[in-house]
Amino acid sequence: MQHYDVIIIGGGPAGFQAALSARKSNPKVSIALIRKEKKALIPCGIPYVLHSLKSVDDDILPDEPLQKHKIDIIIGEVSRREDHTLQLSDKRQISFKKLVLATGSRPVFPSIPGVEKEGVFFVKKEYDYLIKLQGAARSSKNILVIGGGYIGVEIADELLRAGKHVTLIEMLPSLLATTMDPEFSSDLHAELENHGAKIILGCKVIQFTGKDQFDGADLDNGDHIEADMAILSVGYKPNLEIAVTFGLETEKNYGIIVDEYLRTSDPDILAAGDCALHKNSITGKASRVMLASTAMAQGRLVGSNLFRISFVKNFQGTLGSFATKVGNFSFGVSGLTELEAKELGIHYFTGEHDSVDRHPGKLPGATKIHIKLLFARYSHVLLGAQIRGGDSVGELVNMISVMIQKRMTDMEIDTIQIGTHPLLTSSPIAYPVINATSNAIEKWFHKTTEEL
Amino acid sequence: MQHYDVIIIGGGPAGFQAALSARKSNPKVSIALIRKEKKALIPCGIPYVLHSLKSVDDDILPDEPLQKHKIDIIIGEVSRREDHTLQLSDKRQISFKKLVLATGSRPVFPSIPGVEKEGVFFVKKEYDYLIKLQGAARSSKNILVIGGGYIGVEIADELLRAGKHVTLIEMLPSLLATTMDPEFSSDLHAELENHGAKIILGCKVIQFTGKDQFDGADLDNGDHIEADMAILSVGYKPNLEIAVTFGLETEKNYGIIVDEYLRTSDPDILAAGDCALHKNSITGKASRVMLASTAMAQGRLVGSNLFRISFVKNFQGTLGSFATKVGNFSFGVSGLTELEAKELGIHYFTGEHDSVDRHPGKLPGATKIHIKLLFARYSHVLLGAQIRGGDSVGELVNMISVMIQKRMTDMEIDTIQIGTHPLLTSSPIAYPVINATSNAIEKWFHKTTEEL
């Protein structure tokens, strides 16, 4: 029987990062990573397999960093455990001292009649499946995308770039409804439409049509959409089977219950990534956000908490920082939206600013930026931000992520020093984060709480 | 005689921002901005007038924001003051309650024989002069750029983009020697050379040749360089004449002496921008850094400290965050370089990382990123960063600027959550700031102070 000091189950971002952090904190222990897939995928890159990347092989998480850090890779499926021994479905037995579950998530399969037809695809994190999906998309002309979350929107955008006819259906009244305020999601909506997408909101598919091969969908508004294939992305749910088999405490649809050091109900088992229940860092509520960046943040903590607890290396809840690009605009979100703040009854005020991401604005490549910041009334702490702009939004949102996590107030941000460059950023006069902050301050400085 | 509650002298970034902040903090006072130039320039945009911008008019600071905030613009030159009354050179008299000096800086004119010849240009912040410079550059083929600081390097890059033959001369042993460590400046050097620049380091011009019209330069290494025109950018010095005339305390070559609320030795006069003496926020030493972004940071403070002091709205010294783009790479610097830390005897350790700014790295537009972070040994506080990468460096350096100003430690950065996107950022696994931090931590975690 093989033995490892540390075993990680799962080869996605959380598992990958957990293995590396285990090595960094523990230079001398033996470590193995067990995964089902021969090739592990970069999950956020999957939409880009449809057009921007040549092949699915361009979207692979490389094994080299694991090998370089002397982490054995075991391809296999864990079926059960007995005390500190894992049994694989091929009967191999492997024992461990400490175990990390990073079993990830999988797409939700809605029970729509006809969902099993040829030509109806999901966005699975599986190499062979994605090759099929890629092939089907490349040979199709009319494609129906179901689900207007980040993945659905990015798939629609990729397909449009590839010159496909795209119809996007979302059951909620706006795209990205749970993570973006309407004024931002409507910009994104318009941008997709400008590039040729047909978008249908507030509508459900009631059945997929066609004999064995999908040829269209009936909607609950009575319409019928013809298409060559359908791609569904209507949410993900955590893979909890192994955790349940192992007798760990879990919360259905949310994940394995872990403490702030990512320890499960078994003292020798930790969990990280989509399979671990995580709470929103501002609201404290269980979060359905599943982001590789959150998974990696957890993966980076696990290694330091395996054998002894490293105080400070704890997970303080999910911030939720998103970025995406659609057409010629990029969108970024960090922390709370205004909608969420309202729903939760959080007392807030906002600051906004419009700017351009070059200075002077006549420089080639300049894109308009719109930003909205949310601050807490009373404490003045930054709660959230949304930005629409050019490519620089990807890192701008990270500057804001740092500010939220450091609980910076509007008054601190107002005095911050930043760097600017004509070809790379907004002008210092029109720097979005600072100007939106100063807009927020102006409100409370001259108004009472009632007037705000 | 005209009267204003607040008068700002100077129409550059500091003056512009000071006027706006004066208005924001004091909605009801009367404000005027006095400047010499009919049109105020965006200083950092000046190099881009040579090629990327069509005309000098595309590099103008707009008057609209001032007008919109009811700030009168007075075109004129202040010659002297008597108590609270200014006299302009056209004899107009204007009285004030509070005065802000934002007189900026001008190029250093080295006393090289022949410097007065036709065809020898400086980078002046003057509209009419820049039109001449632009015209000369567009009709020249071989151009000599003297000075390898940011402006010289950016001018060289612009001229190369315009297809000119460029020779760049710098007296110090490397480009950007005072703000960038050699491994970064040598990358920038190589990038300029790859695009066709001839670069001569450690060398001075001893005379400009030609009859009345410049035709070349003799160097102190015995070489002669032929060229159609020369552009000199060998430093800037603060405009202190008005401050001296007004009897304010100044420090030659450094600026008007101000306290942390930007008040001069006269209680009713404040100063901001290049003309104000400012200290490095880490070393406490008088700084020669002149950045529009620093000037604006000061400009934003002035308004709140005119009539009453706003505690917290003080200037805590210059951080120094730079970004620039040369050829296909962008470069960013914030805080201390390793060279500076060594010179100052600061006990530090570094972390480095190499990455790509897209994920997967095979996505179109991906650029390699190299990052180096400097942390203080003992306190673990982040002291500085340097990055070479794609356009996202412009905002990445601002994320780091925030981290330095919030005195974040390596341990805090190690647990930070960020957002990532395939088309916009590095992968969460390879996120440069976090990985360089974790590289730094690995060193001290497994080594003693002596081994570091």
Side-chain angles (χ1 to χ4, degrees):
Chain A
M1 185 167 69
Q2 260 181 304
H3 174 80
Y4 288 95
D5 298 321
V6 180
I7 291 182
I8 292 105
I9 303 180
F16 185 95
Q17 190 71 63
L20 292 179
S21 78
R23 170 59 71 228
K24 284 188 182 173
S25 298
N26 308 282
K28 291 176 183 165
V29 303
S30 58
I31 307 176
L33 182 148
I34 303 179
R35 67 174 193 233
K36 283 192 259 183
E37 312 78 19
K38 273 197 183 158
K39 298 182 181 188
L41 290 153
I42 301 176
C44 21
I46 291 175
Y48 303 99
V49 158
L50 296 176
H51 171 65
S52 298
L53 292 171
K54 271 189 197 147
S55 82
V56 178
D57 281 295
D58 291 340
D59 193 46
I60 298 298
L61 257 175
D63 286 341
E64 289 74 23
L66 299 175
Q67 290 157 348
K68 198 182 123 194
H69 289 91
K70 295 193 180 150
I71 294 155
D72 288 351
I73 300 168
I74 297 170
I75 309 297
E77 202 160 343
V78 174
S79 54
R80 57 195 190 85
R81 73 146 178 168
E82 219 156 290
D83 193 15
H84 283 65
T85 299
L86 299 175
Q87 181 155 326
L88 272 56
S89 41
D90 60 9
K91 304 287 179 216
R92 266 184 292 178
Q93 289 198 325
I94 312 176
S95 65
F96 63 85
K97 267 189 207 151
K98 298 287 178 179
L99 182 70
V100 179
L101 294 185
T103 50
S105 60
R106 63 166 174 275
V108 168
F109 291 76
S111 54
I112 301 168
V115 74
E116 72 297 338
K117 288 187 201 300
E118 282 287 312
V120 177
F121 286 87
F122 291 85
V123 186
K124 295 188 193 176
K125 295 176 259 185
E126 293 170 20
Y127 179 80
D128 294 331
Y129 187 88
L130 287 178
I131 288 180
K132 269 186 234 162
L133 170 62
Q134 187 194 49
R138 293 198 175 172
S139 63
S140 296
K141 209 170 167 181
N142 296 299
I143 303 179
L144 182 60
V145 179
I146 298 157
Y150 282 91
I151 295 172
V153 158
E154 290 173 356
I155 283 177
D157 181 64
E158 268 285 286
L159 294 171
L160 291 170
R161 286 178 206 266
K164 309 293 180 186
H165 296 280
V166 177
T167 305
L168 175 61
I169 295 176
E170 165 59 45
M171 148 181 119
L172 295 173
S174 69
L175 299 177
L176 303 172
T178 58
T179 57
M180 227 182 241
D181 284 330
E183 72 267 36
F184 288 89
S185 66
S186 68
D187 280 353
L188 184 145
H189 185 122
E191 188 65 8
L192 275 178
E193 282 184 338
N194 288 342
H195 286 77
K198 187 182 168 191
I199 303 174
I200 304 171
L201 297 174
C203 201
K204 281 186 197 176
V205 172
I206 51 169
Q207 109 170 315
F208 293 106
T209 60
K211 214 174 163 230
D212 300 324
Q213 171 69 37
F214 162 89
D215 68 7
D218 291 330
L219 309 185
D220 64 357
N221 65 2
D223 281 359
H224 175 78
I225 310 282
E226 279 183 25
D228 306 321
M229 73 181 287
I231 305 177
L232 276 86
S233 172
V234 296
Y236 283 76
K237 59 178 184 185
N239 292 321
L240 299 180
E241 292 73 6
I242 290 181
V244 170
T245 309
F246 286 12
L248 304 178
E249 285 175 28
T250 60
E251 197 158 313
K252 210 187 158 190
N253 296 327
Y254 282 103
I256 305 166
I257 293 171
V258 290
D259 67 10
E260 66 267 45
Y261 295 102
L262 303 171
R263 297 176 297 185
T264 69
S265 50
D266 182 316
D268 289 329
I269 305 182
L270 292 86
D274 289 356
C275 70
L277 184 145
H278 49 111
K279 291 179 179 169
N280 182 290
S281 62
I282 297 174
T283 67
K285 299 196 174 199
S287 166
R288 283 189 180 273
V289 163
M290 291 184 185
L291 282 169
S293 54
T294 310
M296 314 287 284
Q298 294 183 326
R300 290 200 310 273
L301 303 173
V302 164
S304 310
N305 296 318
L306 282 170
F307 297 99
R308 286 173 302 185
I309 289 300
S310 290
F311 180 65
V312 165
K313 288 215 84 168
N314 56 1
F315 188 71
Q316 307 192 349
T318 299
L319 170 64
S321 285
F322 302 86
T324 192
K325 185 173 181 177
V326 167
N328 303 323
F329 282 109
S330 295
F331 295 82
V333 181
S334 187
L336 284 193
T337 62
E338 200 171 348
L339 273 182
E340 283 175 293
K342 270 186 192 144
E343 263 172 40
L344 295 160
I346 291 176
H347 198 176
Y348 70 89
F349 60 103
T350 61
E352 296 188 60
H353 190 69
D354 283 288
S355 180
V356 177
D357 65 354
R358 300 279 184 277
H359 64 287
K362 288 194 179 160
L363 278 168
T367 306
K368 285 184 182 178
I369 291 196
H370 178 64
I371 186 167
K372 177 168 79 171
L373 300 178
L374 237 73
F375 293 95
R377 188 69 179 132
Y378 191 75
S379 70
H380 294 261
V381 165
L382 182 62
L383 294 172
Q386 289 168 79
I387 324 172
R388 184 213 66 224
D391 284 0
S392 65
V393 163
E395 295 298 354
L396 253 179
V397 92
N398 284 332
M399 177 192 186
I400 292 168
S401 302
V402 172
M403 290 173 161
I404 298 177
Q405 285 167 96
K406 286 296 292 178
R407 292 179 172 266
M408 284 180 77
T409 64
D410 51 5
M411 292 168 275
E412 283 183 286
I413 298 171
D414 192 36
T415 62
I416 209 89
Q417 287 174 54
I418 43 94
T420 55
H421 188 271
L423 305 177
L424 304 174
T425 70
S426 304
S427 137
I429 298 180
Y431 194 74
V433 181
I434 292 172
N435 277 269
T437 301
S438 121
N439 174 248
I441 290 174
E442 242 183 302
K443 292 181 190 168
W444 63 254
F445 196 66
H446 297 295
K447 288 181 182 174
T448 64
T449 296
E450 280 62 42
E451 287 170 328
L452 259 183
Chain B
M1 185 169 68
Q2 259 181 305
H3 173 81
Y4 287 96
D5 298 321
V6 180
I7 291 181
I8 293 105
I9 304 180
F16 185 96
Q17 190 71 64
L20 291 179
S21 77
R23 170 58 71 227
K24 283 187 184 174
S25 299
N26 308 283
K28 291 176 184 166
V29 303
S30 57
I31 308 177
L33 183 148
I34 304 179
R35 66 174 193 234
K36 282 192 261 185
E37 311 78 22
K38 274 198 181 155
K39 297 182 181 187
L41 289 153
I42 302 177
C44 22
I46 292 176
Y48 303 99
V49 159
L50 296 177
H51 171 65
S52 298
L53 292 171
K54 271 189 198 146
S55 82
V56 178
D57 281 295
D58 290 340
D59 193 45
I60 297 298
L61 258 175
D63 286 341
E64 289 74 23
L66 299 175
Q67 291 158 346
K68 200 182 122 194
H69 288 91
K70 296 193 180 152
I71 294 155
D72 288 351
I73 300 169
I74 297 171
I75 310 297
E77 203 160 340
V78 174
S79 53
R80 56 196 190 85
R81 72 148 177 165
E82 218 156 291
D83 192 14
H84 283 64
T85 301
L86 298 175
Q87 180 154 328
L88 272 57
S89 40
D90 62 8
K91 306 285 176 213
R92 265 184 293 178
Q93 290 198 324
I94 312 175
S95 64
F96 64 86
K97 266 190 208 152
K98 297 286 177 178
L99 182 69
V100 179
L101 294 185
T103 50
S105 60
R106 63 165 174 276
V108 169
F109 290 76
S111 54
I112 302 168
V115 73
E116 73 296 338
K117 288 186 201 299
E118 282 286 314
V120 177
F121 286 88
F122 292 86
V123 186
K124 295 189 194 175
K125 294 176 260 184
E126 292 169 20
Y127 180 80
D128 293 331
Y129 187 88
L130 287 178
I131 288 180
K132 270 187 233 161
L133 170 63
Q134 187 194 50
R138 293 197 175 172
S139 63
S140 297
K141 210 170 167 182
N142 296 299
I143 303 179
L144 181 61
V145 179
I146 298 157
Y150 281 92
I151 295 172
V153 157
E154 289 173 356
I155 283 178
D157 182 65
E158 268 285 285
L159 294 172
L160 291 170
R161 286 178 206 268
K164 309 293 179 186
H165 296 281
V166 176
T167 305
L168 175 60
I169 295 176
E170 165 59 45
M171 149 181 116
L172 295 173
S174 70
L175 298 176
L176 303 172
T178 58
T179 56
M180 227 182 240
D181 284 329
E183 72 267 36
F184 288 88
S185 66
S186 67
D187 280 353
L188 184 146
H189 185 123
E191 188 66 8
L192 275 178
E193 282 184 338
N194 289 341
H195 286 76
K198 187 182 168 193
I199 303 174
I200 304 170
L201 297 175
C203 202
K204 281 186 197 174
V205 172
I206 51 169
Q207 113 170 312
F208 294 106
T209 60
K211 212 173 163 232
D212 299 324
Q213 170 69 37
F214 162 88
D215 69 8
D218 291 329
L219 308 185
D220 65 356
N221 66 2
D223 281 358
H224 175 77
I225 310 282
E226 277 183 27
D228 305 321
M229 74 181 288
I231 305 176
L232 276 86
S233 172
V234 295
Y236 282 76
K237 60 178 184 185
N239 292 321
L240 300 180
E241 292 74 7
I242 290 182
V244 170
T245 308
F246 285 12
L248 303 178
E249 285 175 27
T250 60
E251 198 158 312
K252 209 187 157 192
N253 297 327
Y254 282 102
I256 306 166
I257 293 171
V258 291
D259 67 10
E260 66 267 46
Y261 296 102
L262 303 171
R263 296 176 297 185
T264 69
S265 50
D266 182 316
D268 288 331
I269 306 182
L270 291 86
D274 290 356
C275 70
L277 184 145
H278 49 111
K279 292 180 179 170
N280 181 291
S281 63
I282 298 175
T283 69
K285 299 196 175 200
S287 165
R288 283 191 180 272
V289 162
M290 289 184 186
L291 282 169
S293 53
T294 309
M296 313 288 284
Q298 295 184 326
R300 290 199 311 273
L301 303 173
V302 165
S304 310
N305 296 318
L306 281 171
F307 297 98
R308 285 174 304 184
I309 289 300
S310 290
F311 180 65
V312 166
K313 288 215 85 168
N314 56 0
F315 187 70
Q316 307 192 348
T318 301
L319 171 63
S321 285
F322 302 86
T324 192
K325 184 172 181 178
V326 167
N328 303 322
F329 282 108
S330 296
F331 295 82
V333 182
S334 187
L336 284 193
T337 61
E338 200 171 347
L339 273 182
E340 283 176 293
K342 269 186 193 146
E343 262 172 40
L344 294 161
I346 291 176
H347 198 176
Y348 71 89
F349 60 104
T350 62
E352 295 188 60
H353 190 69
D354 283 288
S355 181
V356 176
D357 65 354
R358 300 278 184 278
H359 64 286
K362 289 193 178 161
L363 279 168
T367 306
K368 285 184 181 178
I369 290 195
H370 177 64
I371 185 167
K372 178 167 80 171
L373 300 178
L374 236 74
F375 292 96
R377 188 69 179 132
Y378 191 76
S379 71
H380 294 261
V381 165
L382 182 61
L383 294 172
Q386 289 168 80
I387 325 173
R388 185 214 64 226
D391 285 359
S392 65
V393 163
E395 295 298 355
L396 253 179
V397 92
N398 284 332
M399 178 192 186
I400 292 169
S401 302
V402 172
M403 290 174 161
I404 297 176
Q405 284 167 97
K406 286 297 292 176
R407 291 181 173 264
M408 284 180 77
T409 64
D410 50 5
M411 293 168 274
E412 282 182 287
I413 298 171
D414 192 38
T415 61
I416 209 90
Q417 288 175 53
I418 43 93
T420 56
H421 188 270
L423 304 177
L424 305 174
T425 71
S426 305
S427 137
I429 299 178
Y431 194 73
V433 181
I434 291 172
N435 278 268
T437 300
S438 122
N439 173 248
I441 290 175
E442 242 183 301
K443 292 181 189 167
W444 64 256
F445 196 65
H446 298 295
K447 288 182 182 172
T448 65
T449 296
E450 280 63 41
E451 288 169 329
L452 260 184

